[in-house]
Amino acid sequence: MAEAERVVCCIPTCGRPERLLSNLQRVGQVLPAGSLIVVGDNLCDARLRRTLSSLELVHSRVNYLEVSERNISANRNACAAAALALAPNADWVAFLDDDIEVPLNWWNCLIDVARATDADVVGAPSVPIGCNRSLWLEVGLAEFRRGGKSGPVDVLSSGGNFIVKSEWLRRLGDELFRLDLGLTGGEDAELFLRLKAAGATFAWCAEAESIEHIEKDRSTAVAVAWRAFTTGCACATFQGNGVNILSRFISVASALVRAVGAIILAILWRDWKRCVRSVLGAAYSLGQILALFGVKFERYATPRKPA
């Protein structure tokens, strides 16, 4: 039975109290009895702390953590450190974004795939659902997040819905997620590359597909294109290490040219889904090019503390 495995769940949050509370109820249902949930709050909201202190979950209990440094990497690192300290015997550490709603079979599916593949890290899809229907949201996030069938994979790319063996987190030390990527994005992909380099193995669990609730302002064309651009900018800082900058520039510039060509063809053929996909590819490549010359952009605005 999956209950034999011990897990502690980390949920970093920032300014989404209603969604967080709703998702906590579900997470509390699906985790094994006695599991601990660590919530790291980047707003240090006293109202949220009081609410969580009185929250009763089915199988789990919540440990609230204030993280004053406004940085998603700092929040995730603080959650992981607390998780390992509060649950030293846990076999797994789960990471969930605060806007993700997991299915009832989430934990059982993840641990079944972990056992079947003997993987050290298991990821699952987080399919975005926006307040308004958006082709940009569907192509820019949903298609990318779905992935393929369950089984071993080379590496993961997105860290909003995954579990990792606690022993691997201890091996990597205190700064699991790079602080310099905490406002730009890409900190999860960079962690996975380091885990892979250290010898960790990965798997994908399609059956643990979760829902990511996207606010209206994050599903617009500008917002999704900006995300693709900043992701390219951030990933260029740690991808392609060991390759000289001229070779990287030629590779990325070629990808940008191909994307622009694809945009033109898609417009001529009136294939709007392909057009959106190509625009996002061009935005990603442009971000990579600028990053090669030292340009950085912050994806996440510094949150305001509640009054």
Side-chain angles (χ1 to χ4, degrees), residues 5 9 29 37 54 75 86 89 98 107 163 197 200 214 236 267 302:
E5 300 280 352
C9 184
Q29 287 180 282
I37 301 172
S54 61
N75 199 338
L86 293 169
N89 296 322
D98 61 354
W107 168 248
I163 62 173
I214 303 291
I267 292 174
T302 301

Side-chain angles (χ1 to χ4, degrees), residues 41-76:
D41 182 13
N42 246 169
L43 281 187
C44 303
D45 186 350
R47 293 169 298 180
L48 179 60
R49 182 178 65 250
R50 289 193 296 268
T51 301
L52 293 183
S53 66
S54 61
L55 186 65
E56 295 184 5
L57 300 179
V58 176
H59 293 145
S60 312
R61 63 185 179 89
V62 178
N63 187 82
Y64 175 85
L65 184 68
E66 289 188 349
V67 184
S68 58
E69 184 176 356
R70 309 298 175 83
N71 181 303
I72 183 60
S73 293
N75 199 338
R76 283 180 156 178

Side-chain angles (χ1 to χ4, degrees), residues 187-229:
E187 77 288 346
D188 43 6
E190 192 276 336
L191 170 65
F192 295 142
L193 289 178
R194 271 190 290 126
L195 283 167
K196 179 184 176 182
T201 57
F202 296 80
W204 185 252
C205 180
E207 292 78 15
E209 180 177 297
S210 303
I211 295 173
E212 181 180 3
H213 295 272
I214 303 291
E215 298 92 339
K216 186 176 180 179
D217 60 352
R218 292 172 59 207
S219 61
T220 64
V222 172
V224 177
W226 175 251
R227 185 183 183 94
F229 173 79

Side-chain angles (χ1 to χ4, degrees), residues 1-3 5 92 105-119 122 150-151 163 203-205 207-208:
M1 296 292 291
E3 285 75 15
E5 300 280 352
W92 295 88
N105 63 348
W106 175 75
W107 168 248
N108 287 334
C109 288
L110 285 170
I111 201 63
D112 285 347
V113 168
R115 288 169 171 169
T117 60
D118 196 27
V122 182
S150 295
I163 62 173
W204 185 252
C205 180
E207 292 78 15

